Amino acid sequence: MTRTRKNYIYLLVLLPFLVVALLYEIVPLLMIVFNSFMPENAIGFTLEHYVDIFTKPLYQKAIWNSIRISLVSSLIGIFIAFLGAKAANSAGPKMQNAFLTVLNMTSNFAGVPLAFAYMILLGNSGVMIEFGKVYGIDALANFDLYTGTGLTMIYVYFQIPLSTLLLIPAFEGIRKEWMEASTLFGAGPTTFWTQIGVPVLLPSILGTISVLFANALAAYATAYALLMNNYALLPINISGMFVGDVTQRKEMGGALSVVMMLLMVAAIFINNYIAKKNRKVGR
């Protein structure tokens, strides 16, 4: 069988996937971008929607809240995940399998069920809130889940298992010989990780942060179940433009979607730039 014929066979095998990707990803994406430049209830070309997004306080606040919550939850999540992945890498096979099982289960616990779980624990009459009132723990009794802080806490929860699963394979690149050699030269664990371990893992850490940022930026179900339309957030605003009870503004929704996609792309490019720069310095 010639190489050209093999390539044709591979293309035929991939054809169903390409058709699905075209119909459900590429075409909708192009339509969203196209609609974002159309005036409402008319035909033509306009930048009005983008001007409104970057000048009106409602949309500015939604962008800022989304960036802030996504960035904070990603940084906290990656820090805890680093410790968890390090512990998993140092554990025995049985403990590591048990740890991975727990991570797989918790990583799938998100969306509306996660929001309801936090309402039961930390809602206005939640178990932990009542516990704080009974035992006089003011910080717990007065905690308000229905704020940006509460939403960030929930986001951190589903960021941790995902980032830990992504980081565990990266730790396999840290060789025990490096740790032994650094110990022989008098370097402690802190010196090893700050001077050798973290720089080696930095590309994986930055790549994971990109995934976490995009994951949090586009998260919708958890935020809507917790706060509905009472908090300015990009995914909630986008949804409101397409399924509004009074009017639908698909053109503005398209513009907001494009802005959110650009934020994701910008985060990926920034992380790639930092990783590339770090590799050059390492050489």
Side-chain angles (χ1 to χ4, degrees):
M1 186 181 296
T2 63
R3 187 172 180 178
T4 305
R5 190 175 179 183
K6 283 184 179 180
N7 291 337
Y8 280 127
I9 293 174
Y10 293 149
L11 287 174
L12 285 174
V13 173
L14 288 173
L15 187 59
F17 170 76
L18 295 175
V19 171
V20 170
L22 178 66
L23 294 178
Y24 294 98
E25 294 186 19
I26 298 174
V27 172
L29 176 62
L30 294 176
M31 291 300 298
I32 286 174
V33 175
F34 177 75
N35 287 334
S36 70
F37 292 103
M38 290 184 63
E40 295 183 9
N41 303 318
I43 298 175
F45 176 86
T46 182
L47 294 174
E48 181 183 355
H49 307 306
Y50 292 99
V51 173
D52 288 344
I53 289 172
F54 292 106
T55 55
K56 291 188 176 181
L58 173 63
Y59 303 123
Q60 290 176 343
K61 191 172 183 181
I63 293 172
W64 167 245
N65 286 341
S66 294
I67 293 175
R68 177 176 55 83
I69 292 175
S70 300
L71 188 59
V72 171
S73 64
S74 298
L75 293 177
I76 296 175
I78 199 69
F79 177 76
I80 299 174
F82 181 88
L83 300 177
K86 181 178 178 297
N89 182 256
S90 304
K94 290 184 178 180
M95 183 62 69
Q96 193 175 64
N97 289 335
F99 188 54
L100 289 173
T101 302
V102 173
L103 286 176
N104 282 315
M105 287 191 299
T106 52
S107 64
N108 291 312
F109 186 63
V112 177
L114 179 61
F116 283 151
Y118 267 84
M119 289 178 192
I120 293 170
L121 288 174
L122 293 166
N124 293 332
S125 300
V127 175
M128 299 303 295
I129 300 298
E130 295 299 322
F131 179 85
K133 291 177 180 177
V134 170
Y135 291 96
I137 306 174
D138 293 336
L140 189 57
N142 298 323
F143 180 78
D144 189 359
L145 178 66
Y146 305 100
T147 61
T149 302
L151 187 61
T152 303
M153 180 186 296
I154 297 177
Y155 276 38
V156 168
Y157 174 89
F158 65 70
Q159 297 280 47
I160 292 173
L162 174 62
S163 52
T164 306
L165 286 170
L166 292 174
L167 277 183
I168 285 177
F171 271 82
E172 296 178 2
I174 302 295
R175 299 179 183 177
K176 294 183 179 179
E177 292 85 353
W178 298 349
M179 301 182 70
E180 293 171 357
S182 65
T183 303
L184 290 175
F185 282 103
T190 303
T191 303
F192 171 79
W193 285 108
T194 55
Q195 300 296 324
I196 301 173
V198 173
V200 170
L201 294 173
L202 190 59
S204 298
I205 292 174
L206 291 175
T208 303
I209 290 176
S210 297
V211 174
L212 296 182
F213 184 84
N215 184 46
L217 192 67
Y220 167 74
T222 302
Y224 186 79
L226 183 71
L227 300 170
M228 300 192 72
N229 292 321
N230 299 317
Y231 193 77
L233 213 63
L234 265 177
I236 293 178
N237 283 13
I238 292 170
S239 173
M241 297 298 170
F242 289 101
V243 294
D245 295 332
V246 181
T247 59
Q248 295 183 5
R249 303 179 62 193
K250 63 179 181 179
E251 294 83 7
M252 177 59 78
L256 287 170
S257 301
V258 171
V259 170
M260 186 170 70
M261 288 186 288
L262 289 176
L263 289 174
M264 292 181 184
V265 172
I268 293 171
F269 273 113
I270 290 171
N271 281 342
N272 288 343
Y273 173 77
I274 296 173
K276 187 181 294 185
K277 193 173 182 180
N278 179 72
R279 291 192 195 101
K280 290 180 179 179
V281 173
R283 291 175 186 173

